[in-house]
Amino acid sequence: GEVEKILSMRFNRTVRIVGAGRTDAGVHARGSAFHFDCFKGELLDDSSIQHLQHSMNRMLQKEIIVWNLQQAPLATIHTTSNGTTATFPWHVIYYSQRKLYSYRICTSPAMDPLERYTRHHVDWGNVNISLLNETLHKFEGTHDFRAFSGAVEQKQKKEQKSVNTVRTVYQVSLVEESQGLYRIDILLKGALYKMIRNMVGTAIDVAREGMSP
């Protein structure tokens, strides 16, 4: 990726990053965390870290900004089930607490063309907003989201093991930003491949067709 390319240039070696999550094609991410490993002596203090952040932002494409670059927390000691202790280094995936997905839609007959890259225009039928809100709340809680995921069978075949498709959705909110403009916020621990976009698309179909949620 672009960040790996710039880091590799800065350190004059191959640098791999680990992201807290991934996004589907065409999806924007704000506040997405990642980590990468350094050799001893490469980043000595806060000043050199801030200098790295500044230089990365000058080299990266304008669509990407690195913010709040800092040294990762120290390794933590955990007690295992058999009573022994083990040391675990900080890891961006395992220490990620929650993720917030936001989908913006327009239900008006016409949408501002300047928002075409960040908002979906639902222009193929009336949307019952009350029914949309009711449907979205059905996703809250712990459920098996296999029906909303993509490529589960292919992944199971490739990895030769079953895939756990149970996920917990903490909260779903439908926010009216302006007349005919809405934002769907979905807060959860983690999602399956294409799970969120399929949930939102299904909810909109229910609200448009008047089907029972």
Side-chain angles (χ1 to χ4, degrees), residues 57-79:
N57 285 331
R58 290 177 62 89
M59 299 168 69
L60 284 164
Q61 298 177 5
K62 299 302 181 182
E63 295 85 359
I64 306 173
I65 289 292
V66 175
W67 174 76
N68 198 27
L69 188 66
Q70 57 183 287
Q71 185 175 348
L74 297 175
T76 56
I77 300 176
H78 297 272
T79 302

mmCIF file of all heavy atoms in Angstrom, residues 57-79:
data_model
loop_
_atom_site.group_PDB
_atom_site.id
_atom_site.type_symbol
_atom_site.label_atom_id
_atom_site.label_comp_id
_atom_site.label_asym_id
_atom_site.label_seq_id
_atom_site.Cartn_x
_atom_site.Cartn_y
_atom_site.Cartn_z
ATOM 1 N N ASN A 57 3.633 12.800 5.740
ATOM 2 C CA ASN A 57 2.494 13.557 5.210
ATOM 3 C C ASN A 57 2.880 14.409 4.004
ATOM 4 O O ASN A 57 2.035 14.707 3.147
ATOM 5 C CB ASN A 57 1.889 14.428 6.311
ATOM 6 C CG ASN A 57 1.069 13.615 7.301
ATOM 7 O OD1 ASN A 57 0.513 12.574 6.941
ATOM 8 N ND2 ASN A 57 0.999 14.057 8.538
ATOM 9 N N ARG A 58 4.123 14.796 3.914
ATOM 10 C CA ARG A 58 4.595 15.545 2.742
ATOM 11 C C ARG A 58 4.797 14.620 1.535
ATOM 12 O O ARG A 58 4.729 15.060 0.393
ATOM 13 C CB ARG A 58 5.897 16.270 3.074
ATOM 14 C CG ARG A 58 5.745 17.423 4.042
ATOM 15 C CD ARG A 58 7.092 18.045 4.386
ATOM 16 N NE ARG A 58 7.742 18.608 3.217
ATOM 17 C CZ ARG A 58 7.575 19.857 2.781
ATOM 18 N NH1 ARG A 58 6.747 20.668 3.417
ATOM 19 N NH2 ARG A 58 8.214 20.296 1.705
ATOM 20 N N MET A 59 5.033 13.336 1.798
ATOM 21 C CA MET A 59 5.306 12.381 0.728
ATOM 22 C C MET A 59 4.068 11.606 0.285
ATOM 23 O O MET A 59 4.002 11.136 -0.858
ATOM 24 C CB MET A 59 6.390 11.394 1.176
ATOM 25 C CG MET A 59 7.723 12.044 1.505
ATOM 26 S SD MET A 59 8.868 10.904 2.352
ATOM 27 C CE MET A 59 9.249 9.762 1.016
ATOM 28 N N LEU A 60 3.090 11.468 1.174
ATOM 29 C CA LEU A 60 1.896 10.681 0.868
ATOM 30 C C LEU A 60 0.976 11.408 -0.108
ATOM 31 O O LEU A 60 1.013 12.634 -0.240
ATOM 32 C CB LEU A 60 1.125 10.369 2.146
ATOM 33 C CG LEU A 60 1.695 9.281 3.055
ATOM 34 C CD1 LEU A 60 1.065 9.350 4.434
ATOM 35 C CD2 LEU A 60 1.476 7.905 2.428
ATOM 36 N N GLN A 61 0.123 10.639 -0.768
ATOM 37 C CA GLN A 61 -0.913 11.231 -1.605
ATOM 38 C C GLN A 61 -1.839 12.079 -0.739
ATOM 39 O O GLN A 61 -1.991 11.839 0.465
ATOM 40 C CB GLN A 61 -1.720 10.135 -2.312
ATOM 41 C CG GLN A 61 -0.901 9.276 -3.259
ATOM 42 C CD GLN A 61 -1.727 8.164 -3.890
ATOM 43 O OE1 GLN A 61 -2.928 8.077 -3.691
ATOM 44 N NE2 GLN A 61 -1.066 7.311 -4.652
ATOM 45 N N LYS A 62 -2.497 13.071 -1.346
ATOM 46 C CA LYS A 62 -3.323 14.011 -0.593
ATOM 47 C C LYS A 62 -4.524 13.344 0.073
ATOM 48 O O LYS A 62 -5.095 13.877 1.012
ATOM 49 C CB LYS A 62 -3.805 15.140 -1.513
ATOM 50 C CG LYS A 62 -2.677 15.969 -2.129
ATOM 51 C CD LYS A 62 -1.811 16.600 -1.051
ATOM 52 C CE LYS A 62 -0.705 17.448 -1.665
ATOM 53 N NZ LYS A 62 0.181 18.038 -0.620
ATOM 54 N N GLU A 63 -4.898 12.149 -0.404
ATOM 55 C CA GLU A 63 -6.062 11.454 0.186
ATOM 56 C C GLU A 63 -5.722 10.786 1.506
ATOM 57 O O GLU A 63 -6.609 10.276 2.196
ATOM 58 C CB GLU A 63 -6.587 10.395 -0.784
ATOM 59 C CG GLU A 63 -7.170 10.944 -2.086
ATOM 60 C CD GLU A 63 -6.099 11.198 -3.138
ATOM 61 O OE1 GLU A 63 -4.903 10.951 -2.834
ATOM 62 O OE2 GLU A 63 -6.459 11.637 -4.246
ATOM 63 N N ILE A 64 -4.427 10.741 1.869
ATOM 64 C CA ILE A 64 -3.992 10.030 3.074
ATOM 65 C C ILE A 64 -3.232 10.984 3.990
ATOM 66 O O ILE A 64 -2.339 11.705 3.543
ATOM 67 C CB ILE A 64 -3.082 8.839 2.717
ATOM 68 C CG1 ILE A 64 -3.764 7.911 1.716
ATOM 69 C CG2 ILE A 64 -2.687 8.064 3.981
ATOM 70 C CD1 ILE A 64 -2.866 6.808 1.197
ATOM 71 N N ILE A 65 -3.594 10.971 5.265
ATOM 72 C CA ILE A 65 -2.909 11.776 6.277
ATOM 73 C C ILE A 65 -2.574 10.883 7.468
ATOM 74 O O ILE A 65 -3.425 10.128 7.952
ATOM 75 C CB ILE A 65 -3.780 12.957 6.748
ATOM 76 C CG1 ILE A 65 -3.897 14.003 5.644
ATOM 77 C CG2 ILE A 65 -3.206 13.600 8.007
ATOM 78 C CD1 ILE A 65 -2.605 14.731 5.341
ATOM 79 N N VAL A 66 -1.344 10.948 7.945
ATOM 80 C CA VAL A 66 -0.943 10.233 9.162
ATOM 81 C C VAL A 66 -1.072 11.195 10.334
ATOM 82 O O VAL A 66 -0.571 12.319 10.293
ATOM 83 C CB VAL A 66 0.516 9.733 9.053
ATOM 84 C CG1 VAL A 66 0.959 9.095 10.362
ATOM 85 C CG2 VAL A 66 0.637 8.731 7.914
ATOM 86 N N TRP A 67 -1.768 10.747 11.367
ATOM 87 C CA TRP A 67 -2.041 11.597 12.525
ATOM 88 C C TRP A 67 -1.801 10.820 13.818
ATOM 89 O O TRP A 67 -2.070 9.629 13.885
ATOM 90 C CB TRP A 67 -3.495 12.094 12.478
ATOM 91 C CG TRP A 67 -3.928 12.861 13.679
ATOM 92 C CD1 TRP A 67 -3.620 14.159 14.002
ATOM 93 C CD2 TRP A 67 -4.755 12.386 14.749
ATOM 94 N NE1 TRP A 67 -4.198 14.514 15.197
ATOM 95 C CE2 TRP A 67 -4.901 13.445 15.677
ATOM 96 C CE3 TRP A 67 -5.377 11.164 15.005
ATOM 97 C CZ2 TRP A 67 -5.648 13.309 16.843
ATOM 98 C CZ3 TRP A 67 -6.109 11.033 16.164
ATOM 99 C CH2 TRP A 67 -6.247 12.099 17.065
ATOM 100 N N ASN A 68 -1.254 11.485 14.802
ATOM 101 C CA ASN A 68 -1.045 10.905 16.132
ATOM 102 C C ASN A 68 -0.086 9.714 16.093
ATOM 103 O O ASN A 68 -0.290 8.704 16.780
ATOM 104 C CB ASN A 68 -2.381 10.494 16.758
ATOM 105 C CG ASN A 68 -2.279 10.317 18.264
ATOM 106 O OD1 ASN A 68 -1.430 10.942 18.912
ATOM 107 N ND2 ASN A 68 -3.125 9.478 18.841
ATOM 108 N N LEU A 69 0.972 9.823 15.316
ATOM 109 C CA LEU A 69 1.995 8.782 15.281
ATOM 110 C C LEU A 69 2.751 8.781 16.605
ATOM 111 O O LEU A 69 3.219 9.826 17.069
ATOM 112 C CB LEU A 69 2.965 9.045 14.122
ATOM 113 C CG LEU A 69 3.991 7.953 13.827
ATOM 114 C CD1 LEU A 69 3.304 6.698 13.330
ATOM 115 C CD2 LEU A 69 5.002 8.455 12.777
ATOM 116 N N GLN A 70 2.855 7.628 17.232
ATOM 117 C CA GLN A 70 3.516 7.537 18.532
ATOM 118 C C GLN A 70 3.995 6.115 18.778
ATOM 119 O O GLN A 70 3.599 5.183 18.092
ATOM 120 C CB GLN A 70 2.574 7.955 19.655
ATOM 121 C CG GLN A 70 1.286 7.154 19.716
ATOM 122 C CD GLN A 70 0.350 7.640 20.798
ATOM 123 O OE1 GLN A 70 0.600 7.428 21.984
ATOM 124 N NE2 GLN A 70 -0.733 8.297 20.388
ATOM 125 N N GLN A 71 4.871 5.982 19.760
ATOM 126 C CA GLN A 71 5.364 4.657 20.124
ATOM 127 C C GLN A 71 4.240 3.840 20.740
ATOM 128 O O GLN A 71 3.440 4.351 21.529
ATOM 129 C CB GLN A 71 6.524 4.775 21.111
ATOM 130 C CG GLN A 71 7.181 3.451 21.457
ATOM 131 C CD GLN A 71 8.406 3.622 22.352
ATOM 132 O OE1 GLN A 71 8.884 4.731 22.538
ATOM 133 N NE2 GLN A 71 8.891 2.538 22.897
ATOM 134 N N ALA A 72 4.167 2.576 20.380
ATOM 135 C CA ALA A 72 3.105 1.704 20.899
ATOM 136 C C ALA A 72 3.297 1.470 22.386
ATOM 137 O O ALA A 72 4.420 1.553 22.914
ATOM 138 C CB ALA A 72 3.123 0.371 20.153
ATOM 139 N N PRO A 73 2.205 1.185 23.106
ATOM 140 C CA PRO A 73 2.311 0.871 24.537
ATOM 141 C C PRO A 73 3.216 -0.335 24.776
ATOM 142 O O PRO A 73 3.439 -1.157 23.880
ATOM 143 C CB PRO A 73 0.863 0.565 24.937
ATOM 144 C CG PRO A 73 0.028 1.265 23.918
ATOM 145 C CD PRO A 73 0.811 1.203 22.638
ATOM 146 N N LEU A 74 3.712 -0.438 25.984
ATOM 147 C CA LEU A 74 4.591 -1.540 26.340
ATOM 148 C C LEU A 74 3.825 -2.860 26.341
ATOM 149 O O LEU A 74 2.587 -2.886 26.418
ATOM 150 C CB LEU A 74 5.206 -1.296 27.716
ATOM 151 C CG LEU A 74 6.105 -0.054 27.850
ATOM 152 C CD1 LEU A 74 6.540 0.127 29.303
ATOM 153 C CD2 LEU A 74 7.319 -0.176 26.935
ATOM 154 N N ALA A 75 4.556 -3.941 26.249
ATOM 155 C CA ALA A 75 3.948 -5.271 26.299
ATOM 156 C C ALA A 75 3.253 -5.476 27.642
ATOM 157 O O ALA A 75 3.662 -4.915 28.671
ATOM 158 C CB ALA A 75 5.010 -6.341 26.081
ATOM 159 N N THR A 76 2.195 -6.255 27.639
ATOM 160 C CA THR A 76 1.436 -6.525 28.862
ATOM 161 C C THR A 76 1.562 -7.986 29.249
ATOM 162 O O THR A 76 1.769 -8.861 28.401
ATOM 163 C CB THR A 76 -0.045 -6.169 28.669
ATOM 164 O OG1 THR A 76 -0.559 -6.889 27.539
ATOM 165 C CG2 THR A 76 -0.219 -4.677 28.426
ATOM 166 N N ILE A 77 1.413 -8.250 30.536
ATOM 167 C CA ILE A 77 1.508 -9.606 31.069
ATOM 168 C C ILE A 77 0.107 -10.104 31.412
ATOM 169 O O ILE A 77 -0.644 -9.433 32.127
ATOM 170 C CB ILE A 77 2.411 -9.658 32.315
ATOM 171 C CG1 ILE A 77 3.831 -9.179 31.951
ATOM 172 C CG2 ILE A 77 2.456 -11.061 32.895
ATOM 173 C CD1 ILE A 77 4.764 -9.094 33.142
ATOM 174 N N HIS A 78 -0.247 -11.248 30.897
ATOM 175 C CA HIS A 78 -1.565 -11.834 31.134
ATOM 176 C C HIS A 78 -1.408 -13.200 31.795
ATOM 177 O O HIS A 78 -0.441 -13.922 31.544
ATOM 178 C CB HIS A 78 -2.340 -11.978 29.827
ATOM 179 C CG HIS A 78 -2.651 -10.687 29.148
ATOM 180 N ND1 HIS A 78 -3.776 -9.950 29.419
ATOM 181 C CD2 HIS A 78 -1.957 -9.985 28.222
ATOM 182 C CE1 HIS A 78 -3.780 -8.865 28.679
ATOM 183 N NE2 HIS A 78 -2.681 -8.859 27.935
ATOM 184 N N THR A 79 -2.382 -13.533 32.637
ATOM 185 C CA THR A 79 -2.415 -14.844 33.269
ATOM 186 C C THR A 79 -3.279 -15.779 32.443
ATOM 187 O O THR A 79 -4.432 -15.469 32.134
ATOM 188 C CB THR A 79 -2.977 -14.752 34.698
ATOM 189 O OG1 THR A 79 -2.179 -13.841 35.470
ATOM 190 C CG2 THR A 79 -2.974 -16.118 35.363
#
